[in-house]
Amino acid sequence: MQLPFEALIYVAIFVGVLALVEGLYLVTFGKSISLNSKVNRRLDMIDKGVGREQVLEQLRKEMQQHMKTQSIPLYSLLADKAQKAAIAFSPRQLVVIMAALSGLVFVALSVATATDILLRSALSVAIGVGAVYAWVNQKAKKRMALIEEQLPDAVELMVRSLRVGNPFVSSIQIVANEVDGPLATEFGIISDEVAYGRDVGEALKEMAARLDMQDLRFLAVAVGIQQQSGGNLAEILAGLAQVIRARFRLFRRVKAITAEAQWSGKFLSGFPVACLIFIMVNDPTYYDDVLDHPYFIPACFFVGIMLTLNLIVMRILTNIKV
């Protein structure tokens, strides 16, 4: 029986495609773009001699280009993740990459397996598109988690700056220069936009909408209200920092409480697959007697659907809104 061994080939090709996408990204845009979690990319570009206006134009293009494609059916799912991850590839480049990877996977499957051409074509598209989506999704999750973690410290830094007499715009500039990326890059864009005449409240609202983060919306609303009605902005932001930090602790607590259920769902779905692989490696002829049974293939699809539903249901049950 060749199916389990071909399944291993599919997994190996999928992992290889993921590595290929990451390598292509690094070759195209340089190593520093993969270090958004550690490096302030805006300052890195300025240190390399790029003008401030050119840096602002480049970063705004990268961070806003995917918003225009969110209305396109199907691609909108990828566009939302790419927007949050600030993927430097343009939407057109991502489509070309998915098409090229699908073609490359088709060639690899043709060489390594004897799969029917229709199934091979479907698998090629699924792997090519799925690998790009998984890569973008992983980057988006990592970047958003870092921004959520950095935001309370950034707000408190602005509070200290305001209390020593600095204007709010200068406080944003301090955050852009002192904290790590990716939040520093986001605040650096706001600082540059304000320097060229944009209203700081509008810039904050656009950032909050682009990243779709509730805590940033709180910050934008607080600044907007202070601009219209006045008040002690330092005290307002100090209270906001406490709220954001408390929400962050609550998120972590909920995540810890639901971790057992989440991993139980993953284990219950993954264990049958692991057992199948183990059995086929030890005894490749184990299922030969039932392989030709008319119910064998439908049963395989039924089991696969039920395992997938198990993951979906457990995810819904553990997705607690805070």
Side-chain angles (χ1 to χ4, degrees):
M1 184 179 180
Q2 299 298 321
L3 183 60
F5 295 103
E6 290 188 356
L8 293 177
I9 294 175
Y10 302 152
V11 173
I13 291 176
F14 182 82
V15 174
V17 170
L18 280 176
L20 181 61
V21 174
E22 180 67 20
L24 181 63
Y25 197 59
L26 296 180
V27 170
T28 305
F29 299 103
K31 184 178 179 181
S32 64
I33 200 167
S34 68
L35 303 177
N36 285 335
S37 60
K38 301 176 183 178
V39 173
N40 186 331
R41 185 159 179 255
R42 171 176 167 272
L43 294 182
D44 181 69
M45 294 172 68
I46 292 175
D47 289 341
K48 292 179 179 179
V50 183
R52 187 176 178 182
E53 185 176 354
Q54 286 75 23
V55 171
L56 175 61
E57 182 180 356
Q58 176 65 24
L59 293 177
R60 286 188 65 184
K61 178 182 176 182
E62 293 177 2
M63 293 181 178
Q64 296 179 354
Q65 60 185 348
H66 300 286
M67 295 182 70
K68 301 176 182 178
T69 60
Q70 290 182 342
S71 60
I72 300 176
L74 298 179
Y75 186 80
S76 59
L77 298 174
L78 179 63
D80 180 65
K81 300 293 184 181
Q83 186 64 50
K84 294 178 180 179
I87 297 296
F89 282 134
S90 67
R92 180 176 297 180
Q93 288 173 328
L94 283 175
V95 172
V96 171
I97 289 172
M98 287 189 289
L101 289 176
S102 298
L104 186 62
V105 171
F106 182 82
V107 174
L109 290 176
S110 300
V111 173
T113 68
T115 311
D116 182 75
I117 187 169
L118 293 178
L119 179 59
R120 198 185 318 154
S121 301
L123 286 172
S124 300
V125 174
I127 293 175
V129 175
V132 174
Y133 180 85
W135 175 75
V136 172
N137 184 53
Q138 183 270 336
K139 282 191 170 295
K141 285 185 176 180
K142 183 177 180 181
R143 189 170 186 268
M144 295 300 293
L146 283 167
I147 291 177
E148 290 177 351
E149 186 175 352
Q150 291 175 314
L151 187 58
D153 293 332
V155 175
E156 290 177 350
L157 181 58
M158 286 190 287
V159 171
R160 292 193 293 270
S161 175
L162 289 170
R163 284 175 174 169
V164 299
N166 292 323
F168 182 63
V169 176
S170 298
S171 301
I172 291 180
Q173 181 64 47
I174 291 173
V175 172
N177 292 333
E178 296 298 329
V179 303
D180 296 331
L183 187 61
T185 301
E186 294 284 351
F187 274 86
I189 292 175
I190 293 177
S191 175
D192 291 340
E193 288 179 336
V194 173
Y196 286 106
R198 188 175 189 184
D199 180 72
V200 64
E202 292 181 0
L204 285 170
K205 288 179 182 178
E206 182 183 306
M207 180 178 70
R210 185 176 70 248
L211 297 178
D212 192 22
M213 186 181 296
Q214 189 64 41
D215 292 337
L216 285 175
R217 291 193 180 96
F218 292 156
L219 176 61
V221 169
V223 173
I225 292 175
Q226 193 276 337
Q227 285 181 328
Q228 294 177 6
S229 60
N232 191 334
L233 184 58
E235 294 302 322
I236 295 173
L237 294 184
L240 178 60
Q242 294 178 359
V243 171
I244 293 174
R245 199 173 292 279
R247 279 169 50 84
F248 185 74
R249 287 197 300 267
L250 182 59
F251 283 137
R252 287 292 180 90
R253 185 176 180 182
V254 170
K255 186 176 181 180
I257 293 173
T258 59
E260 181 180 358
Q262 290 177 352
W263 282 104
S264 295
K266 294 177 182 178
F267 175 80
L268 291 175
S269 294
F271 184 73
V273 178
C275 288
L276 174 63
I277 295 174
F278 178 79
I279 291 172
M280 295 310 302
V281 168
N282 284 274
D283 186 6
T285 63
Y286 186 82
Y287 289 104
D288 283 359
D289 293 338
V290 296
L291 185 61
D292 296 329
H293 195 281
Y295 292 153
F296 181 78
I297 298 300
C300 290
F301 278 104
F302 177 77
V303 171
I305 292 172
M306 294 302 294
L307 293 177
T308 304
L309 286 176
N310 175 63
L311 286 175
I312 295 173
V313 171
M314 293 302 296
R315 183 177 180 86
I316 293 174
L317 292 177
T318 56
N319 186 23
I320 300 176
K321 301 295 183 180
V322 180

